[in-house]
Amino acid sequence: MLATIREYAGERLEASPNATFLHRRHAAAFLNFAEQAAPKLRGPQQTRWLRRIELAHANLRVALTWALEHGEAELALPLVTALADFWAKAGHLLEGRGWIARALCLPAAQGATPLRAAALNAAAETELNYTDVDYTLPAAYLRESIATSRQTGASSTLAYGCLGLGTILLATDIDAAQTYGDESLNIFRSTGDRWGEARALALLARLAICRNEMAVAEELTKASVAIFTALGDRWSIGYTLLVQAYTLHFEQQQYDRARDLYEEALAIGELSGEKVIIATALSNLADLALIREDYTATERFARRALPLLDELGELWQPPRLLRLLGICAAIGGNGDQATKLVGDSIELNRRLGDHRAVIAGLIALAHRAL
């Protein structure tokens, strides 16, 4: 449609006495579309449905904008919940984060309702995809969601809340994480939610890794991947392999096994075109290559990952990759480039408030000075 014609039509619409009715019908129609599309992103047609949702994205934005501007929480909350997976998988993470936060802030969205509880789960999942540093906000979202779900009897929403909180607590309280993981698995099995069951099994596998129960972890991972395979969900297979590799890499220092899983996840990501999986696998392979003192591979992986992360709007991994590239430059004798790369990394981490990464950058600069 020509821009001038579209603008004229828009003006006529807003002048119509039926404008509110038509906007609400439009928003309801695209909520219906989003809710029908969301489960398709967890099955064999996920790539096709990602494209279909992308084609409808402009209309979905219009529907969300109208619902938010008019305080229509009963439209906005389920709409952001239905779209959360799409925003993560299609590389619209920052945009989705903003939509969900605005929906949760609506005055009409403040009650303890199943709609709010489900949106809180979506918000927490989005925050966990966005940051691997500060879990305060997603943990608060999940605790509220769990309390509301218990109060309202929303068992499915409760299961996903427990799954998310168990994932967060894995780093600080393994026993509590196990309790939440077991509860989520039991609910998923009782409700017949196979996709949720596979996610819960993947969490329990990570807990087994943390306890160094590697045979148990292997069996749980196989069970999780088998369910995802039966469902035709390649994205979740890649994601499961990534999180198991992450646990082996950063928490258990089992680098060879972690590298195998990253490479397997990377192959799945490249086959399905899932940029989030590709970029994350490349980033962590760069880190492992540096540990092996394979500086050529470190640079190759990092330089492949950076443009993908930029395209996805991901903010937390690029500073780490810049630091790795700076170390490689220093070892290669290019001191000026090394100082600039590490300095850029430190500045980006300062803006993000990632103090641990700032310290890592300063240590790298200190080594350079020596």
Side-chain angles (χ1 to χ4, degrees):
M1 185 182 295
L2 289 173
T4 51
I5 295 176
R6 181 178 180 82
E7 183 179 349
Y8 173 71
E11 290 172 355
R12 292 296 301 272
L13 169 63
E14 297 308 322
S16 166
N18 296 321
T20 298
F21 170 78
L22 292 171
H23 275 297
R24 186 173 284 111
R25 284 289 299 274
H26 176 271
F30 278 93
L31 169 59
N32 182 58
F33 166 77
E35 290 183 329
Q36 288 184 352
K40 307 293 186 182
L41 299 183
R42 299 176 178 180
Q45 296 183 329
Q46 55 193 187
T47 301
R48 174 170 168 258
W49 276 90
L50 277 170
R51 288 197 292 266
R52 285 193 66 177
I53 301 172
E54 191 71 65
L55 288 172
H57 205 186
N59 271 302
L60 290 162
R61 289 182 178 117
V62 169
L64 269 171
T65 299
W66 183 84
L68 291 169
E69 289 178 349
H70 290 78
E72 296 276 353
E74 291 194 358
L75 286 171
L77 289 175
L79 191 47
V80 297
T81 301
L83 290 173
D85 262 4
F86 163 72
W87 285 322
K89 292 174 181 175
H92 302 298
L93 193 59
L94 288 177
E95 178 180 353
R97 188 170 177 250
W99 286 120
I100 297 172
R102 289 177 63 191
L104 287 171
C105 287
L106 289 175
Q110 302 312 303
T113 65
L115 286 180
R116 179 174 175 83
L120 286 164
N121 283 347
E125 183 82 10
T126 303
E127 289 294 325
L128 290 172
N129 285 325
Y130 176 74
T131 178
D132 60 359
V133 176
D134 186 357
Y135 297 145
T136 305
L137 183 58
Y141 285 151
L142 290 165
R143 291 188 189 281
E144 182 185 344
S145 174
I146 289 169
T148 300
S149 298
R150 293 195 196 283
Q151 178 183 338
T152 59
S155 58
S156 178
T157 305
L158 172 61
Y160 283 102
C162 289
L163 178 68
L165 190 56
T167 301
I168 289 175
L169 292 174
L170 184 144
T172 58
D173 189 340
I174 290 179
D175 291 338
Q178 185 78 46
T179 299
Y180 282 112
D182 288 339
E183 183 175 2
S184 70
L185 179 62
N186 290 335
I187 297 173
F188 287 134
R189 283 178 169 167
S190 69
T191 58
D193 186 340
R194 296 282 284 163
W195 191 86
E197 179 184 352
R199 285 283 305 272
L201 288 168
L203 169 60
L204 296 177
R206 291 185 69 189
L207 285 163
I209 292 171
C210 291
R211 293 192 170 99
N212 206 28
E213 298 170 353
M214 304 312 295
V216 175
E218 192 75 19
E219 288 305 310
L220 289 167
T221 300
K222 284 181 181 178
S224 174
V225 170
I227 294 173
F228 285 135
T229 301
L231 294 173
D233 187 351
R234 291 190 306 268
W235 193 95
S236 290
I237 295 171
Y239 177 80
T240 298
L241 295 174
L242 278 181
V243 295
Q244 309 304 3
Y246 183 93
T247 305
L248 290 163
H249 177 179
F250 292 102
E251 297 173 21
Q252 296 298 106
Q253 290 76 53
Q254 296 190 30
Y255 299 131
D256 290 341
R257 179 60 179 142
R259 181 177 61 181
D260 291 343
L261 291 176
Y262 284 138
E263 289 176 347
E264 192 174 347
L266 177 60
I268 291 171
E270 289 177 332
L271 183 65
S272 58
E274 303 291 352
K275 294 176 184 178
V276 174
I277 291 173
I278 295 170
T280 304
L282 288 170
S283 297
N284 291 327
L285 283 168
D287 188 83
L288 287 176
L290 187 72
I291 291 170
R292 298 195 314 273
E293 299 183 355
D294 185 346
Y295 305 116
T296 301
T298 300
E299 185 168 358
R300 183 176 70 252
F301 288 133
R303 293 201 180 280
R304 282 186 63 194
L306 278 169
L308 282 173
L309 293 167
D310 182 60
E311 183 180 344
L312 292 168
E314 210 280 344
L315 302 178
W316 298 90
Q317 295 187 71
R320 175 165 63 100
L321 294 178
L322 291 174
R323 184 172 69 250
L324 297 183
L325 289 172
I327 293 169
C328 291
I331 290 168
N334 194 333
D336 291 341
Q337 184 183 20
T339 301
K340 182 181 185 310
L341 286 166
V342 176
D344 289 345
S345 169
I346 291 171
E347 180 56 31
L348 288 173
N349 281 315
R350 278 180 177 153
R351 293 177 192 172
L352 292 170
D354 188 349
H355 304 301
R356 289 180 300 175
V358 170
I359 292 169
L362 292 171
I363 291 171
L365 281 181
H367 280 296
R368 160 77 187 119
L370 293 173

